[in-house]
Amino acid sequence: MMKLVEFSVTNYRSITVANKIKLHDFTVLVGKNNEGKSNLLNALNVAMMVVRENGYIKRAQVARGRYKSQFYDWERDFPVQFQGRTRGLESIFKLEFQLNEMELVEFQKETKIRGNEAIPITVRIGRDNIPKLEVPKKGSSSYKEKSTLVTKFISERIYINYIQAVRTEQMALRTLKDVIDIELMRLDDNSDYRDAVNKIYSLRQTVLDDISDQLLAPMKVFLPNLKDIKMEQTDKSRFDFWPRTQQLDIILDDGVATSIDHKGDGIKSLVTLAILKERSTKQGASLIAIEEPESHLHSGAIHNLVEVIKGIAKNNQVIISTHNPLFVQQNSISSNIIINEGDAHPAKNISEIRSILGVWPSDNLKNARFVLVVEGEEDRVSLIKILPLYSDVIKKALLNNQLVIKSLGGASNLVHDLADLQHSMCNYVVLLDNDKAGSEAAKKALSKGLLKTEQLRQTICNGMSEAEFEDCLNPEMYILSLEEKYNITIRGHKEFKTKKKWSDRLKNVFLDQGIKWSAAVEFEVKAIVAGCIPENGNLDKILIPQKSGFISGLVSAVEKMVSDEMNNK
């Protein structure tokens, strides 16, 4: 479908200099407060709505200069500091649209213009508030002569939903109902609607019921107790063609059927976004601009909302402004636009995004894009030596500090540390012991949306119900060091031959020979074992092949994490 690939604006509110922005399927505007993110989204909405208005109003009205946009007011929107000058008194919006092959065929048929897939449109609005639209196609007079046909073609095939930061109940309801109005516009071409007013109620209700059915599943993500959603027309006697939602009420049943009027602003925002995610794309291409989607939502809902917006971006172009690092496009750095001191440019690296958002990771993560999270310090030391023997990609990433191996200091710290890593905009893979503590920590992180199944690996060893990292290491590498340190016998000891996990086996060996086992002793023993792994050693001598398969899986997950980022640069 058609896409908006480029946008710029000059002389609109705080934006006085043109900044050309390339738009992707999902574009994120990041910046400090009062740097122009909201004004940029507002400007995009003005330009798109003017194009759409131009495509629907009567041509004669435009020709006679009677058409004034309802979305722009010169005294409000033109920079105040320039309103007293004698020249340059227009706000200028520039859009560039890209058509697919099928749309090009339709374009030629409707406009009689042969052209390529790129169509620029310029919107100028001066003191009289009357928009002037141009198609400044270089080397082609046909575009300029038929600018009305060109803009009509565009306006019929792409539309925008602009969702402002929800700051008041009235704004929240208006935003929500504006989105539903766009859905109801598909009735405009229905002959029954136009020819038989007495059918309007049932036709509208069919659409509303369809929206309600589509909403239930996505909204249950945020409201687990939600049983039903109903959209009811509150005044059956009145059927104004516009606006269609004046007589609409939305009922959410989460045990008690309640009008959305009496729900919080966060719920209104979630319903709006859920509608956008589930709706049909039959109307044509869609551009969705969302200002600070995280507004009025608690942290748990924001995690789910990230996935909802990514789902929206599969069938729509999405551009958002945000202060929340969870929305940053980590796998496509150039899709994040830095807004700072009147300038807008694609982010160059993750450090630049962190700086503008005021995110300051710990020193060891300052330059890292990728993190391998492990349970203990001894696991970290071991893997720093082992992983480069498996993979040159991982070896290089470790050497240039793109990849850091981070120790949790215990599985119970997983949720806290993953939340910090998300805030620091790090991609991560997690390796946990395959025991009760590791499995419970993984389950909790998965349930909170901090971890995905594909990011998780556990130390699963053949023939063992529970295992930890040391279970995959060849005992011949470290037994002598432990025996000499503690003056005990490990080789051949019956307790060391059982199928219990490694630390339980060592504990029983120590106890059997009169040495108390404690957390401090366990830490010291594991540190000795990790220290016995040679640098640039032979994997066949370091690992037990039958019990180290999970490391191959871990290597694949880490390589994919690193490679995906490199491929998206």
Side-chain angles (χ1 to χ4, degrees):
M1 286 189 178
M2 184 188 302
K3 291 186 176 181
L4 176 64
V5 294
E6 204 166 83
F7 172 68
S8 72
V9 58
T10 307
N11 292 334
Y12 180 80
R13 298 187 181 179
S14 65
I15 305 170
T16 57
V17 180
N19 285 289
K20 189 180 292 184
I21 296 174
K22 293 189 179 297
L23 301 179
H24 303 259
D25 288 340
F26 187 5
T27 305
V28 180
L29 306 181
V30 293
K32 301 173 183 177
N33 286 325
N34 300 316
E35 290 293 349
K37 300 187 300 299
S38 297
N39 286 340
L40 195 60
L41 288 182
N42 259 303
L44 176 59
N45 183 56
V46 169
M48 290 291 294
M49 293 307 294
V50 166
V51 171
R52 190 161 183 82
E53 285 177 325
N54 190 75
Y56 279 93
I57 61 176
K58 295 179 180 179
R59 304 293 86 147
Q61 191 176 351
V62 177
R64 291 194 294 266
R66 295 179 182 175
Y67 160 55
K68 295 184 179 183
S69 175
Q70 61 177 308
F71 298 97
Y72 179 91
D73 181 270
W74 189 86
E75 291 187 356
R76 177 194 66 201
D77 296 327
F78 191 81
V80 174
Q81 66 270 33
F82 295 155
Q83 290 186 9
R85 65 190 185 185
T86 57
R87 293 186 301 172
L89 296 174
E90 292 179 320
S91 294
I92 303 171
F93 312 84
K94 294 184 178 181
L95 307 155
E96 184 167 313
F97 300 91
Q98 188 172 58
L99 279 58
N100 62 23
E101 291 183 7
M102 186 178 296
E103 288 166 337
L104 279 173
V105 173
E106 295 172 351
F107 180 73
Q108 180 183 345
K109 182 179 178 180
E110 293 188 23
T111 66
K112 307 297 189 248
I113 300 174
R114 288 182 176 272
N116 57 26
E117 67 278 5
I119 299 179
I121 293 179
T122 298
V123 177
R124 299 174 182 272
I125 311 178
R127 192 190 296 270
D128 58 6
N129 292 319
I130 298 175
K132 301 174 183 65
L133 278 73
E134 306 168 359
V135 184
K137 190 79 171 176
K138 291 184 178 179
S140 177
S141 60
S142 299
Y143 280 88
K144 297 176 182 178
E145 293 168 0
K146 299 183 178 182
S147 61
T148 300
L149 283 176
V150 173
T151 54
K152 183 176 185 296
F153 180 89
I154 296 292
S155 69
E156 291 175 346
R157 286 164 176 80
I158 188 168
Y159 56 94
I160 186 170
N161 285 116
Y162 176 40
I163 303 174
Q164 293 175 285
V166 182
R167 303 192 188 282
T168 68
E169 181 177 350
Q170 290 73 24
M171 288 176 65
L173 285 171
R174 186 178 69 240
T175 299
L176 174 57
K177 292 185 177 183
D178 283 348
V179 170
I180 297 172
D181 273 335
I182 293 293
E183 274 294 279
L184 289 168
M185 282 180 66
R186 69 189 192 201
L187 293 176
D188 285 350
D189 296 325
N190 188 303
S191 60
D192 289 337
Y193 190 144
R194 296 183 178 279
D195 298 339
V197 174
N198 62 335
K199 290 184 178 180
I200 289 179
Y201 173 78
S202 60
L203 290 170
R204 286 180 172 179
Q205 196 61 48
T206 299
V207 176
L208 295 173
D209 289 344
D210 183 43
I211 297 172
S212 298
D213 290 342
Q214 292 176 353
L215 274 179
L216 188 58
M219 282 304 298
K220 277 190 172 182
V221 174
F222 303 101
L223 300 172
N225 296 325
L226 188 65
K227 297 177 181 178
D228 193 21
I229 297 177
K230 290 183 180 179
M231 296 191 180
E232 299 178 347
Q233 299 173 80
T234 57
D235 185 356
K236 298 180 183 179
S237 64
R238 232 181 125 208
F239 299 108
D240 296 338
F241 279 86
W242 188 273
R244 296 169 177 79
T245 49
Q246 283 185 349
Q247 297 88 41
L248 175 65
D249 194 11
I250 300 172
I251 308 298
L252 300 180
D253 184 354
D254 53 1
V256 177
T258 308
S259 168
I260 196 168
D261 289 359
H262 304 302
K263 291 289 187 180
D265 293 339
I267 295 300
K268 297 183 182 82
S269 179
L270 292 176
V271 172
T272 303
L273 294 172
I275 292 174
L276 293 173
K277 181 177 184 293
E278 297 300 317
R279 73 173 178 198
S280 165
T281 56
K282 291 180 181 178
Q283 288 174 273
S286 169
L287 176 64
I288 299 172
I290 310 172
E291 182 183 349
E292 297 179 19
E294 66 270 23
S295 294
H296 299 284
L297 297 179
H298 62 80
S299 59
I302 292 173
H303 280 95
N304 289 327
L305 184 59
V306 172
E307 297 304 314
V308 169
I309 292 179
K310 287 181 179 179
I312 294 173
K314 290 179 180 178
N315 296 314
N316 309 269
Q317 273 188 279
V318 175
I319 177 170
I320 71 171
S321 66
T322 186
H323 296 284
N324 194 306
L326 291 179
F327 291 96
V328 168
Q329 288 289 84
Q330 297 185 33
N331 292 326
S332 180
I333 295 299
S334 62
S335 294
N336 302 286
I337 308 300
I338 303 294
I339 311 293
N340 190 34
E341 296 182 353
D343 177 56
H345 65 271
K348 298 174 183 176
N349 50 55
I350 197 68
S351 296
E352 186 178 20
I353 300 173
R354 286 172 175 164
S355 176
I356 203 72
L357 290 179
V359 174
W360 307 110
S362 56
D363 289 342
N364 63 320
L365 296 176
K366 192 168 293 184
N367 299 311
R369 279 289 290 112
F370 315 107
V371 181
L372 170 57
V373 180
V374 297
E375 279 199 32
E377 176 62 18
E378 64 283 349
D379 299 335
R380 187 189 71 82
V381 172
S382 299
L383 286 168
I384 284 176
K385 299 176 184 179
I386 293 173
L387 292 182
L389 302 178
Y390 270 89
S391 167
D392 287 338
V393 172
I394 294 177
K395 180 179 181 180
K396 182 179 179 181
L398 285 169
L399 285 173
N400 62 23
N401 293 320
Q402 283 184 303
L403 172 65
V404 168
I405 303 179
K406 172 179 170 52
S407 166
L408 291 171
S412 61
N413 295 320
L414 181 65
V415 167
H416 174 273
D417 284 21
L418 291 190
D420 282 349
L421 289 176
Q422 277 199 347
H423 184 72
S424 297
M425 294 172 285
C426 293
N427 285 331
Y428 47 79
V429 169
V430 176
L431 175 66
L432 297 174
D433 289 343
N434 184 36
D435 57 13
K436 183 178 179 181
S439 297
E440 287 181 351
K443 183 179 180 180
K444 189 174 181 181
L446 287 164
S447 69
K448 290 184 174 292
L450 294 167
L451 186 62
K452 298 178 181 178
T453 302
E454 61 268 26
Q455 294 174 298
L456 174 64
R457 294 294 184 273
Q458 288 187 259
T459 58
I460 298 172
C461 296
N462 291 335
M464 301 180 68
S465 59
E466 286 193 332
E468 52 198 340
F469 184 79
E470 288 77 12
D471 281 301
C472 78
L473 299 177
N474 186 348
E476 295 301 322
M477 183 176 58
Y478 60 78
I479 276 182
L480 183 60
S481 296
L482 293 180
E483 289 181 334
E484 290 180 350
K485 167 71 175 176
Y486 297 102
N487 193 23
I488 57 173
T489 299
I490 300 175
R491 193 189 309 273
H493 197 287
K494 63 179 182 179
E495 293 294 341
F496 195 63
K497 294 179 180 180
T498 66
K499 292 189 178 295
K500 294 179 180 180
K501 68 177 184 178
W502 188 86
S503 59
D504 286 346
R505 288 186 284 136
L506 259 292
K507 173 182 177 180
N508 290 335
V509 169
F510 273 57
L511 292 175
D512 189 58
Q513 297 177 62
I515 300 178
K516 285 189 175 182
W517 185 264
S518 65
V521 171
E522 181 178 339
F523 180 83
E524 184 179 63
V525 169
K526 287 186 173 183
I528 292 172
V529 171
C532 289
I533 299 174
E535 300 275 359
N536 302 315
N538 186 328
L539 285 173
D540 292 336
K541 295 182 178 181
I542 296 173
L543 302 174
I544 302 172
Q546 300 88 339
K547 295 183 178 181
S548 55
F550 71 86
I551 297 184
S552 296
L554 177 66
V555 168
S556 297
V558 175
E559 279 189 333
K560 185 177 188 305
M561 173 176 65
V562 175
S563 299
D564 282 353
E565 168 71 10
M566 296 302 108
N567 293 335
N568 281 313
K569 278 194 171 181

